[in-house]
Amino acid sequence: MLDAVGTRVLRAPKELVYALGFMIEIVRNIPAYFRMQRRGGGGGVLKMQILFTGVNALSIVAVLSLAIGAVIIIQGLSVLPQLGQGQLIYTILITVITRELGPILTAFIVIARSGTAISTELGNMVVDHQIEAYMATGLNPITYLAVPRVLGVVISLVLLNIYFNFFGLVGSFLVTQLVQPLALEEYLFGLYGSVTLTDFVASFVKSIVFGVLIGCVATYQGLAVERAGTEVPVRAIKSVGQGITLTVIANAAITLVSYL
Amino acid sequence: MGEKTGTALSTQNVIVAFEDFTPVRGISVDITPGKTVAVMGRSGSGKSTFIKAAAGIIPVTSGTVRVFDRVLGPLTNRELLRLRKTCGFVFQDAALWQNMSVYRNLALPLEQHYPDLTKSERDRKIRNAIDRIKFTDDLNLRPASLSAGEAKLVAFARAVLTEPELLILDEPTTFVDRTGVDRILGFLRELKESGTTLVIVSHNATVVSQLADEIMVIDEGELLVHGTPDVVAGSDNALVRDIVSDVLDQAATFDSDILTLLGEIDNV
């Protein structure tokens, strides 16, 4: 019992070092990926990743952002004027939608949909020796498989965040009209007056950082499968758990830094 | 870079150890260019792990592997690419890329190793390869639509498309029907005659008897004997004789090749 606990405790830092090394390896292989793409290879993987992670998630992101944006507007317009702070609705919208919920909710959606899919796909490829077949053919699996998936997740997250903001801020305005009519000009002017460059930068940086973390964790866990098919779901679950944990920690850190 | 050794494949005291077991325990072997070497051993004896380590597909824990005098170690992408053009590998379970069509499975290695080829030149090479293995199905099929035997033939074509000087094969005839085995044997014979070095893990009596210039017998991760079929047949080591008989006997069950096999065992 104690032996097993000790082994697990000792394994954790070792795995962390491997994971960091893996992340560095991915970054190091980005130029090699683009060189390969110029030769005509590997572009399909990136496009497919953006399709699965970004395009196919548009509908769920739209529904989520519309609903959340509408709820914030309705609640804000009901409560804030009673406190004489009606104008704060725009600041709250920008803070909640652009700086916080946009990046983190899209990240959660991507973890749930694509993080698990990437880990499972790569894990099955390990079990079927397809990864070894890439190596036997002279293709570095990091360059050919991991880099485009990580880039695909990053690009998709940035685009999904923009999409979330669009629906959360503009689309939700339309929903609000059904409940509490508000002049479009007044609404847009209010938003414009409340938004700062820091809001955009913080949101953008979060999307990129979350994308890198989710992509690296998912590909690492997938490629960490050793031999058995039974390892695949275990690694997929780890991919979700670690993805959420790292995203939440990174979100807190970036928010903290943005207010310094 | 290593010193010139004049070998196609050379391993010095290669050990491969995983967390919970050590499948390869200090194998040293030199394989001369142009030779065909059959690797034999019981299931789980470490044959597949050894040939994967020899091909640089899995890292060695200690020891040295040289492929045409180049020491395998941490390689850059460019070095890896150059090595792979020289050394092909056929996996026991074909290991075709499931997310691509058969055509893409064959085109990808060519794109990597011959980036300057035009599409028509690439298609011609692919057509030649699949004609040689007599693959007649649609190239746009996904590997999942192929039988295990057909997948093996496609994997074989993929490995030889880049015309490697050293071809390592892990059970090339497993899952393949009699006709398929004949095609593969014919193709291997052509490669042997053209001077390609072949390292073949096989339980198939026909493959061993018709192609092997040398035989390696491995047991529990150790090399028991390496030499010509006569040397192996004349080995004093009872374990070697047991393994060769066992392996060929086991093959008989799968290959329905009892009569041929009995002759082989008698010769051994």
Side-chain angles (χ1 to χ4, degrees):
Chain A
M1 173 74 178
L2 271 177
D3 189 36
V5 172
T7 308
R8 287 189 71 169
V9 169
L10 287 174
R11 195 181 289 161
K14 198 172 153 189
E15 190 150 336
L16 183 68
V17 171
Y18 277 143
L20 287 174
F22 180 78
M23 203 182 252
I24 292 166
E25 195 62 21
I26 284 182
V27 174
R28 232 170 46 85
N29 273 277
I30 290 175
Y33 169 74
F34 284 109
R35 275 198 303 275
M36 185 176 71
Q37 220 188 14
R38 268 202 302 277
R39 288 204 309 266
V45 182
L46 177 61
K47 282 181 203 154
M48 291 309 281
Q49 195 59 56
I50 294 173
L51 176 72
F52 290 133
T53 306
V55 179
N56 290 354
L58 287 177
S59 53
I60 186 172
V61 167
V63 170
L64 207 63
S65 55
L66 264 176
I68 289 172
V71 165
I72 293 170
I73 291 181
I74 292 165
Q75 295 281 22
L77 290 180
S78 312
V79 177
L80 292 173
Q82 294 173 24
L83 305 170
Q85 299 292 335
Q87 281 301 306
L88 268 183
I89 184 66
Y90 303 109
T91 309
I92 290 172
L93 263 176
I94 295 291
T95 307
V96 174
I97 298 280
T98 306
R99 289 181 76 137
E100 295 301 328
L101 289 187
I104 202 143
L105 281 183
T106 48
F108 286 166
I109 290 168
V110 168
I111 289 169
R113 293 182 75 255
S114 305
T116 46
I118 290 171
S119 298
T120 306
E121 185 191 14
L122 292 180
N124 284 328
M125 288 176 84
V126 173
V127 174
D128 291 346
H129 304 290
Q130 292 178 54
I131 303 293
E132 288 179 347
Y134 277 109
M135 293 169 75
T137 311
L139 288 158
N140 183 338
I142 303 284
T143 315
Y144 194 80
L145 297 172
V147 170
R149 279 173 174 76
V150 173
L151 289 178
V153 169
V154 172
I155 293 168
S156 298
L157 254 184
V158 170
L159 296 176
L160 284 176
N161 189 20
I162 293 170
Y163 191 75
F164 187 98
N165 271 274
F166 176 78
F167 272 85
L169 297 175
V170 181
S172 57
F173 168 79
L174 300 174
V175 176
T176 313
Q177 295 308 300
L178 302 172
V179 187
Q180 192 163 354
L182 192 70
L184 178 63
E185 250 178 60
E186 185 192 336
Y187 178 75
L188 291 178
F189 190 75
L191 280 181
Y192 181 74
S194 302
V195 74
T196 64
L197 184 62
T198 315
D199 296 323
F200 284 125
V201 173
S203 187
F204 184 67
V205 169
K206 280 182 180 180
S207 283
I208 291 176
V209 172
F210 296 169
V212 170
L213 290 173
I214 296 166
C216 287
V217 166
T219 48
Y220 173 77
Q221 290 297 345
L223 294 172
V225 169
E226 287 176 4
R227 290 185 289 269
T230 48
E231 293 173 56
V232 176
V234 176
R235 288 289 176 178
I237 292 167
K238 274 192 177 180
S239 167
V240 173
Q242 290 179 355
I244 290 175
T245 310
L246 289 173
T247 301
V248 170
I249 292 171
N251 184 54
I254 297 169
T255 300
L256 196 70
V257 169
S258 70
Y259 280 106
L260 286 179
Chain B
M1 289 288 166
E3 62 192 34
K4 182 85 177 162
T5 60
T7 55
L9 179 67
S10 170
T11 66
Q12 262 99 50
N13 200 26
V14 163
I15 296 174
V16 179
F18 298 128
E19 205 168 281
D20 45 354
F21 71 113
T22 305
V24 178
R25 301 158 189 254
I27 294 183
S28 300
V29 68
D30 288 330
I31 294 173
T32 313
K35 293 284 183 195
T36 297
V37 180
V39 183
M40 298 177 75
R42 292 182 174 122
S43 297
S45 58
K47 309 178 297 287
S48 295
T49 309
F50 169 68
I51 59 166
K52 281 180 184 171
I57 292 171
I58 57 173
V60 299
T61 308
S62 67
T64 314
V65 177
R66 286 187 174 86
V67 174
F68 289 109
D69 305 332
R70 287 174 63 85
V71 175
L72 299 192
L75 299 173
T76 64
N77 284 349
R78 190 167 298 186
E79 286 168 335
L80 182 74
L81 200 62
R82 209 177 302 138
L83 167 75
R84 293 304 167 213
K85 197 173 170 185
T86 314
C87 172
F89 195 99
V90 179
F91 290 85
Q92 184 174 3
D93 54 2
L96 296 178
W97 300 307
Q98 300 294 321
N99 58 339
M100 301 177 194
S101 64
V102 170
Y103 175 83
R104 284 298 306 156
N105 265 274
L106 297 170
L108 189 59
L110 286 175
E111 286 169 2
Q112 290 309 305
H113 294 291
Y114 303 98
D116 298 329
L117 276 185
T118 62
K119 189 178 180 308
S120 60
E121 287 169 329
R122 198 165 59 227
D123 287 351
R124 188 174 47 77
K125 271 181 172 283
I126 290 172
R127 179 57 55 194
N128 282 344
I130 62 163
D131 284 349
R132 285 174 84 180
I133 57 165
K134 298 185 175 62
F135 180 83
T136 50
D137 278 339
D138 184 358
L139 289 183
N140 293 315
L141 287 175
R142 291 287 173 128
S145 315
L146 304 179
S147 69
E150 287 172 321
K152 201 67 173 274
L153 288 168
V154 173
F156 196 76
R158 180 176 68 180
V160 297
L161 263 172
T162 54
E163 297 166 12
E165 294 164 59
L166 167 64
L167 183 62
I168 302 176
L169 306 101
D170 193 358
E171 306 272 8
T173 53
T174 314
F175 311 130
V176 183
D177 60 18
R178 192 61 191 247
T179 319
V181 171
D182 288 344
R183 288 182 211 163
I184 289 178
L185 266 173
F187 202 1
L188 286 174
R189 219 173 275 126
E190 279 179 40
L191 289 171
K192 182 179 161 77
E193 281 162 15
S194 69
T196 306
T197 310
L198 301 171
V199 178
I200 311 172
V201 169
S202 185
H203 289 167
N204 185 300
T206 320
V207 171
V208 175
S209 62
Q210 292 192 8
L211 292 171
D213 298 315
E214 296 170 6
I215 294 174
M216 288 170 65
V217 180
I218 294 176
D219 189 53
E220 293 188 355
E222 290 175 6
L223 180 63
L224 295 182
V225 64
H226 172 210
T228 60
D230 289 341
V231 169
V232 174
S235 171
D236 296 334
N237 191 334
L239 188 56
V240 170
R241 296 178 65 84
D242 279 354
I243 289 170
V244 172
S245 302
D246 272 4
V247 166
L248 294 180
D249 189 39
Q250 196 182 20
T253 316
F254 297 117
D255 297 333
S256 307
D257 206 11
I258 299 281
L259 292 176
T260 316
L261 188 60
L262 287 174
E264 297 304 325
I265 291 174
D266 283 347
N267 289 339
V268 170

